[in-house]
Amino acid sequence: MTGTASRYLYLVRHGEASPDESGLTEGGRRQAALLGQRLRDVPFAAVHHGPLPRAEQTARLIGEQLENVPLHVSEVAGDYVPHMPERQELPAESADFFLRFLGGATEEERARGPELARRALDLFTGPVDGEEDRHELVVTHNFLVAWLVRDAMHAPKWRWLGLNYGNAALTVIRYTPGRPASVLLSNDMRHLPTELRWTGFPPELRSWT
């Protein structure tokens, strides 16, 4: 009879992107390489990454620091809006702010994002079959990191909004059989020098750093 084991899910927002988002800046490439060095001793079973260039390049640079770990491109690890809340779901004091933020989403994004988000939960969360713990890395975008952290904390679906993650920052969630998920690390940047930290954050959220 096959048992179940813990999954360790490592979540990374891509490195700093160029203004046109066609790839990484020099700083973004440094961020990715330094994160790869930090992760080189983790026994990853796989690295998943989104299809956009900034995620693909980040995953490749991390992968260069790992030994024989396969890289898998997945639209589920891509950049999309995971949940479109109705006004009544949101706190009254912040509903206008969040609805303005989401106002530019197209009908296709509104329909497709939640389906990809459901698939992400199926693919990336929960304990795993077998006797050995599994370590997986997902190189993705801010929205998906926020969505998965929200789920691990059993927060309402809208609460992915307002969670921000720095470029190449590390978040780790553990899924242990018979226990609730645990967020072991969130937005950890200790592998980055000061000048490479907090990129990807709005200026008002960086003012206290």
Side-chain angles (χ1 to χ4, degrees):
M1 185 175 183
T2 303
T4 55
S6 295
R7 182 202 305 262
Y8 290 82
L9 186 67
Y10 298 70
L11 299 169
V12 172
R13 184 183 179 187
H14 58 81
E16 182 183 47
S18 59
D20 63 0
E21 297 187 337
S22 62
L24 300 181
T25 64
E26 177 58 32
R29 290 189 288 273
R30 288 179 59 203
Q31 289 171 331
L34 289 167
L35 179 56
Q37 292 172 21
R38 176 176 178 177
L39 297 174
R40 62 173 45 158
D41 294 326
V42 178
F44 286 117
V47 175
H48 308 272
H49 65 84
L52 295 178
R54 56 193 187 275
E56 185 277 331
Q57 291 176 20
T58 302
R60 177 170 45 80
L61 289 165
I62 293 172
E64 289 174 358
Q65 305 291 330
L66 309 178
E67 187 172 348
N68 299 321
V69 180
L71 273 60
H72 303 289
V73 62
S74 171
E75 64 175 349
V76 175
D79 190 16
Y80 51 86
V81 175
H83 174 69
M84 295 292 299
E86 300 292 337
R87 176 177 288 275
Q88 61 267 25
E89 293 178 65
L90 299 167
E93 67 274 12
S94 54
D96 288 342
F97 172 80
F98 285 133
L99 292 173
R100 282 196 303 272
F101 174 74
L102 295 169
T106 66
E107 287 303 317
E108 180 181 1
E109 288 172 327
R110 291 170 185 268
R112 186 161 175 74
E115 173 57 27
L116 290 171
R118 286 189 289 272
R119 289 169 56 191
L121 294 177
D122 290 340
L123 182 62
F124 297 135
T125 72
V128 295
D129 293 334
E131 304 298 329
E132 294 186 6
D133 292 346
R134 182 177 176 90
H135 297 257
E136 295 175 283
L137 173 62
V138 179
V139 180
T140 182
H141 303 264
N142 188 71
F143 290 176
L144 183 58
V145 179
W147 173 251
L148 294 171
V149 168
R150 172 220 63 84
D151 178 74
M153 300 299 291
H154 296 279
K157 288 184 176 181
W158 71 266
R159 197 59 185 90
W160 69 271
L161 288 161
L163 299 180
N164 293 281
Y165 295 88
N167 295 124
L170 181 63
T171 295
V172 183
I173 304 173
R174 181 181 64 200
Y175 302 92
T176 299
R179 302 181 188 178
S182 297
V183 179
L184 304 181
L185 288 176
S186 181
N187 245 337
D188 192 299
M189 305 178 196
R190 73 185 76 179
H191 49 283
L192 301 176
T194 302
E195 68 272 16
L196 293 180
R197 296 180 181 180
W198 302 106
T199 65
F201 270 60
E204 68 271 17
L205 297 182
R206 297 181 63 178
S207 60
W208 54 270
T209 59

PDB file of all heavy atoms in Angstrom, residues 117-137:
ATOM      1  N   ALA A 117      -5.890  28.875 -12.214  1.00  0.00           N
ATOM      2  CA  ALA A 117      -5.641  28.887 -10.773  1.00  0.00           C
ATOM      3  C   ALA A 117      -6.101  27.595 -10.116  1.00  0.00           C
ATOM      4  O   ALA A 117      -5.437  27.073  -9.212  1.00  0.00           O
ATOM      5  CB  ALA A 117      -6.339  30.086 -10.143  1.00  0.00           C
ATOM      6  N   ARG A 118      -7.235  27.070 -10.547  1.00  0.00           N
ATOM      7  CA  ARG A 118      -7.698  25.779 -10.014  1.00  0.00           C
ATOM      8  C   ARG A 118      -6.727  24.666 -10.384  1.00  0.00           C
ATOM      9  O   ARG A 118      -6.414  23.782  -9.553  1.00  0.00           O
ATOM     10  CB  ARG A 118      -9.097  25.474 -10.542  1.00  0.00           C
ATOM     11  CG  ARG A 118     -10.199  26.302  -9.904  1.00  0.00           C
ATOM     12  CD  ARG A 118     -11.572  25.800 -10.298  1.00  0.00           C
ATOM     13  NE  ARG A 118     -11.881  26.071 -11.691  1.00  0.00           N
ATOM     14  CZ  ARG A 118     -12.447  27.191 -12.130  1.00  0.00           C
ATOM     15  NH1 ARG A 118     -12.758  28.164 -11.278  1.00  0.00           N
ATOM     16  NH2 ARG A 118     -12.714  27.354 -13.412  1.00  0.00           N
ATOM     17  N   ARG A 119      -6.233  24.700 -11.609  1.00  0.00           N
ATOM     18  CA  ARG A 119      -5.258  23.693 -12.032  1.00  0.00           C
ATOM     19  C   ARG A 119      -3.958  23.815 -11.250  1.00  0.00           C
ATOM     20  O   ARG A 119      -3.304  22.810 -10.944  1.00  0.00           O
ATOM     21  CB  ARG A 119      -5.002  23.814 -13.533  1.00  0.00           C
ATOM     22  CG  ARG A 119      -6.178  23.352 -14.379  1.00  0.00           C
ATOM     23  CD  ARG A 119      -6.019  23.732 -15.839  1.00  0.00           C
ATOM     24  NE  ARG A 119      -4.769  23.221 -16.393  1.00  0.00           N
ATOM     25  CZ  ARG A 119      -4.294  23.591 -17.585  1.00  0.00           C
ATOM     26  NH1 ARG A 119      -4.950  24.473 -18.324  1.00  0.00           N
ATOM     27  NH2 ARG A 119      -3.161  23.081 -18.033  1.00  0.00           N
ATOM     28  N   ALA A 120      -3.566  25.037 -10.914  1.00  0.00           N
ATOM     29  CA  ALA A 120      -2.346  25.234 -10.117  1.00  0.00           C
ATOM     30  C   ALA A 120      -2.491  24.588  -8.752  1.00  0.00           C
ATOM     31  O   ALA A 120      -1.550  23.958  -8.241  1.00  0.00           O
ATOM     32  CB  ALA A 120      -2.045  26.724  -9.974  1.00  0.00           C
ATOM     33  N   LEU A 121      -3.655  24.731  -8.134  1.00  0.00           N
ATOM     34  CA  LEU A 121      -3.873  24.091  -6.837  1.00  0.00           C
ATOM     35  C   LEU A 121      -3.791  22.571  -6.967  1.00  0.00           C
ATOM     36  O   LEU A 121      -3.223  21.895  -6.108  1.00  0.00           O
ATOM     37  CB  LEU A 121      -5.225  24.509  -6.267  1.00  0.00           C
ATOM     38  CG  LEU A 121      -5.369  25.984  -5.884  1.00  0.00           C
ATOM     39  CD1 LEU A 121      -6.794  26.262  -5.398  1.00  0.00           C
ATOM     40  CD2 LEU A 121      -4.362  26.383  -4.810  1.00  0.00           C
ATOM     41  N   ASP A 122      -4.354  22.021  -8.031  1.00  0.00           N
ATOM     42  CA  ASP A 122      -4.298  20.572  -8.237  1.00  0.00           C
ATOM     43  C   ASP A 122      -2.870  20.092  -8.475  1.00  0.00           C
ATOM     44  O   ASP A 122      -2.467  19.034  -7.985  1.00  0.00           O
ATOM     45  CB  ASP A 122      -5.161  20.178  -9.439  1.00  0.00           C
ATOM     46  CG  ASP A 122      -6.655  20.331  -9.177  1.00  0.00           C
ATOM     47  OD1 ASP A 122      -7.047  20.369  -7.992  1.00  0.00           O
ATOM     48  OD2 ASP A 122      -7.416  20.415 -10.159  1.00  0.00           O
ATOM     49  N   LEU A 123      -2.106  20.876  -9.224  1.00  0.00           N
ATOM     50  CA  LEU A 123      -0.777  20.433  -9.645  1.00  0.00           C
ATOM     51  C   LEU A 123       0.299  20.639  -8.589  1.00  0.00           C
ATOM     52  O   LEU A 123       1.191  19.797  -8.419  1.00  0.00           O
ATOM     53  CB  LEU A 123      -0.381  21.183 -10.926  1.00  0.00           C
ATOM     54  CG  LEU A 123       0.966  20.823 -11.561  1.00  0.00           C
ATOM     55  CD1 LEU A 123       0.986  19.363 -11.984  1.00  0.00           C
ATOM     56  CD2 LEU A 123       1.245  21.728 -12.763  1.00  0.00           C
ATOM     57  N   PHE A 124       0.210  21.749  -7.858  1.00  0.00           N
ATOM     58  CA  PHE A 124       1.340  22.152  -7.022  1.00  0.00           C
ATOM     59  C   PHE A 124       1.131  21.994  -5.519  1.00  0.00           C
ATOM     60  O   PHE A 124       2.096  22.157  -4.764  1.00  0.00           O
ATOM     61  CB  PHE A 124       1.686  23.620  -7.303  1.00  0.00           C
ATOM     62  CG  PHE A 124       2.130  23.899  -8.705  1.00  0.00           C
ATOM     63  CD1 PHE A 124       1.637  25.002  -9.403  1.00  0.00           C
ATOM     64  CD2 PHE A 124       3.048  23.079  -9.349  1.00  0.00           C
ATOM     65  CE1 PHE A 124       2.052  25.279 -10.688  1.00  0.00           C
ATOM     66  CE2 PHE A 124       3.458  23.341 -10.647  1.00  0.00           C
ATOM     67  CZ  PHE A 124       2.962  24.442 -11.318  1.00  0.00           C
ATOM     68  N   THR A 125      -0.074  21.729  -5.050  1.00  0.00           N
ATOM     69  CA  THR A 125      -0.307  21.743  -3.606  1.00  0.00           C
ATOM     70  C   THR A 125      -0.661  20.363  -3.070  1.00  0.00           C
ATOM     71  O   THR A 125      -1.040  19.463  -3.815  1.00  0.00           O
ATOM     72  CB  THR A 125      -1.425  22.742  -3.230  1.00  0.00           C
ATOM     73  OG1 THR A 125      -2.699  22.235  -3.649  1.00  0.00           O
ATOM     74  CG2 THR A 125      -1.183  24.103  -3.851  1.00  0.00           C
ATOM     75  N   GLY A 126      -0.533  20.226  -1.756  1.00  0.00           N
ATOM     76  CA  GLY A 126      -0.910  19.000  -1.068  1.00  0.00           C
ATOM     77  C   GLY A 126       0.221  18.001  -0.959  1.00  0.00           C
ATOM     78  O   GLY A 126       1.249  18.102  -1.652  1.00  0.00           O
ATOM     79  N   PRO A 127       0.090  17.021  -0.054  1.00  0.00           N
ATOM     80  CA  PRO A 127       1.092  15.952   0.064  1.00  0.00           C
ATOM     81  C   PRO A 127       1.188  15.151  -1.234  1.00  0.00           C
ATOM     82  O   PRO A 127       0.351  15.291  -2.143  1.00  0.00           O
ATOM     83  CB  PRO A 127       0.544  15.088   1.217  1.00  0.00           C
ATOM     84  CG  PRO A 127      -0.396  15.974   1.959  1.00  0.00           C
ATOM     85  CD  PRO A 127      -0.994  16.896   0.928  1.00  0.00           C
ATOM     86  N   VAL A 128       2.209  14.302  -1.325  1.00  0.00           N
ATOM     87  CA  VAL A 128       2.462  13.529  -2.541  1.00  0.00           C
ATOM     88  C   VAL A 128       2.373  12.038  -2.237  1.00  0.00           C
ATOM     89  O   VAL A 128       2.597  11.599  -1.101  1.00  0.00           O
ATOM     90  CB  VAL A 128       3.844  13.861  -3.134  1.00  0.00           C
ATOM     91  CG1 VAL A 128       3.883  15.304  -3.600  1.00  0.00           C
ATOM     92  CG2 VAL A 128       4.965  13.598  -2.136  1.00  0.00           C
ATOM     93  N   ASP A 129       2.058  11.259  -3.244  1.00  0.00           N
ATOM     94  CA  ASP A 129       2.051   9.812  -3.093  1.00  0.00           C
ATOM     95  C   ASP A 129       3.480   9.299  -2.982  1.00  0.00           C
ATOM     96  O   ASP A 129       4.401   9.818  -3.627  1.00  0.00           O
ATOM     97  CB  ASP A 129       1.373   9.155  -4.297  1.00  0.00           C
ATOM     98  CG  ASP A 129      -0.112   9.470  -4.359  1.00  0.00           C
ATOM     99  OD1 ASP A 129      -0.705   9.736  -3.300  1.00  0.00           O
ATOM    100  OD2 ASP A 129      -0.677   9.441  -5.464  1.00  0.00           O
ATOM    101  N   GLY A 130       3.664   8.260  -2.176  1.00  0.00           N
ATOM    102  CA  GLY A 130       4.988   7.653  -2.042  1.00  0.00           C
ATOM    103  C   GLY A 130       5.525   7.781  -0.633  1.00  0.00           C
ATOM    104  O   GLY A 130       4.853   8.281   0.272  1.00  0.00           O
ATOM    105  N   GLU A 131       6.746   7.318  -0.468  1.00  0.00           N
ATOM    106  CA  GLU A 131       7.379   7.312   0.849  1.00  0.00           C
ATOM    107  C   GLU A 131       8.392   8.430   1.033  1.00  0.00           C
ATOM    108  O   GLU A 131       8.839   8.685   2.149  1.00  0.00           O
ATOM    109  CB  GLU A 131       8.081   5.962   1.068  1.00  0.00           C
ATOM    110  CG  GLU A 131       7.173   4.753   0.924  1.00  0.00           C
ATOM    111  CD  GLU A 131       6.051   4.742   1.943  1.00  0.00           C
ATOM    112  OE1 GLU A 131       6.258   5.267   3.062  1.00  0.00           O
ATOM    113  OE2 GLU A 131       4.963   4.214   1.628  1.00  0.00           O
ATOM    114  N   GLU A 132       8.771   9.106  -0.060  1.00  0.00           N
ATOM    115  CA  GLU A 132       9.811  10.128   0.025  1.00  0.00           C
ATOM    116  C   GLU A 132       9.229  11.524  -0.144  1.00  0.00           C
ATOM    117  O   GLU A 132       8.348  11.743  -0.987  1.00  0.00           O
ATOM    118  CB  GLU A 132      10.877   9.894  -1.053  1.00  0.00           C
ATOM    119  CG  GLU A 132      11.670   8.616  -0.866  1.00  0.00           C
ATOM    120  CD  GLU A 132      12.807   8.508  -1.865  1.00  0.00           C
ATOM    121  OE1 GLU A 132      13.031   9.484  -2.623  1.00  0.00           O
ATOM    122  OE2 GLU A 132      13.466   7.464  -1.888  1.00  0.00           O
ATOM    123  N   ASP A 133       9.725  12.455   0.661  1.00  0.00           N
ATOM    124  CA  ASP A 133       9.323  13.847   0.517  1.00  0.00           C
ATOM    125  C   ASP A 133       9.729  14.353  -0.868  1.00  0.00           C
ATOM    126  O   ASP A 133      10.721  13.907  -1.454  1.00  0.00           O
ATOM    127  CB  ASP A 133       9.987  14.717   1.584  1.00  0.00           C
ATOM    128  CG  ASP A 133       9.473  14.413   2.983  1.00  0.00           C
ATOM    129  OD1 ASP A 133       8.433  13.739   3.111  1.00  0.00           O
ATOM    130  OD2 ASP A 133      10.119  14.856   3.956  1.00  0.00           O
ATOM    131  N   ARG A 134       8.950  15.299  -1.386  1.00  0.00           N
ATOM    132  CA  ARG A 134       9.201  15.831  -2.725  1.00  0.00           C
ATOM    133  C   ARG A 134       9.445  17.335  -2.636  1.00  0.00           C
ATOM    134  O   ARG A 134       8.709  18.052  -1.953  1.00  0.00           O
ATOM    135  CB  ARG A 134       7.999  15.555  -3.637  1.00  0.00           C
ATOM    136  CG  ARG A 134       8.163  16.028  -5.078  1.00  0.00           C
ATOM    137  CD  ARG A 134       6.930  15.634  -5.893  1.00  0.00           C
ATOM    138  NE  ARG A 134       6.996  16.132  -7.252  1.00  0.00           N
ATOM    139  CZ  ARG A 134       7.527  15.484  -8.279  1.00  0.00           C
ATOM    140  NH1 ARG A 134       8.049  14.279  -8.084  1.00  0.00           N
ATOM    141  NH2 ARG A 134       7.534  16.004  -9.496  1.00  0.00           N
ATOM    142  N   HIS A 135      10.477  17.789  -3.326  1.00  0.00           N
ATOM    143  CA  HIS A 135      10.822  19.209  -3.385  1.00  0.00           C
ATOM    144  C   HIS A 135      10.630  19.683  -4.827  1.00  0.00           C
ATOM    145  O   HIS A 135      11.217  19.120  -5.757  1.00  0.00           O
ATOM    146  CB  HIS A 135      12.279  19.432  -2.957  1.00  0.00           C
ATOM    147  CG  HIS A 135      12.548  19.037  -1.542  1.00  0.00           C
ATOM    148  ND1 HIS A 135      12.678  19.958  -0.524  1.00  0.00           N
ATOM    149  CD2 HIS A 135      12.718  17.812  -0.969  1.00  0.00           C
ATOM    150  CE1 HIS A 135      12.917  19.330   0.614  1.00  0.00           C
ATOM    151  NE2 HIS A 135      12.941  18.034   0.371  1.00  0.00           N
ATOM    152  N   GLU A 136       9.821  20.727  -5.007  1.00  0.00           N
ATOM    153  CA  GLU A 136       9.544  21.265  -6.337  1.00  0.00           C
ATOM    154  C   GLU A 136       9.703  22.781  -6.313  1.00  0.00           C
ATOM    155  O   GLU A 136       9.341  23.432  -5.334  1.00  0.00           O
ATOM    156  CB  GLU A 136       8.127  20.922  -6.785  1.00  0.00           C
ATOM    157  CG  GLU A 136       7.874  19.444  -6.987  1.00  0.00           C
ATOM    158  CD  GLU A 136       6.419  19.184  -7.321  1.00  0.00           C
ATOM    159  OE1 GLU A 136       5.588  19.220  -6.398  1.00  0.00           O
ATOM    160  OE2 GLU A 136       6.128  18.950  -8.512  1.00  0.00           O
ATOM    161  N   LEU A 137      10.215  23.313  -7.400  1.00  0.00           N
ATOM    162  CA  LEU A 137      10.392  24.759  -7.543  1.00  0.00           C
ATOM    163  C   LEU A 137       9.475  25.262  -8.644  1.00  0.00           C
ATOM    164  O   LEU A 137       9.421  24.668  -9.735  1.00  0.00           O
ATOM    165  CB  LEU A 137      11.848  25.066  -7.894  1.00  0.00           C
ATOM    166  CG  LEU A 137      12.195  26.518  -8.242  1.00  0.00           C
ATOM    167  CD1 LEU A 137      11.931  27.439  -7.063  1.00  0.00           C
ATOM    168  CD2 LEU A 137      13.656  26.617  -8.690  1.00  0.00           C
TER     169      LEU A 137
END
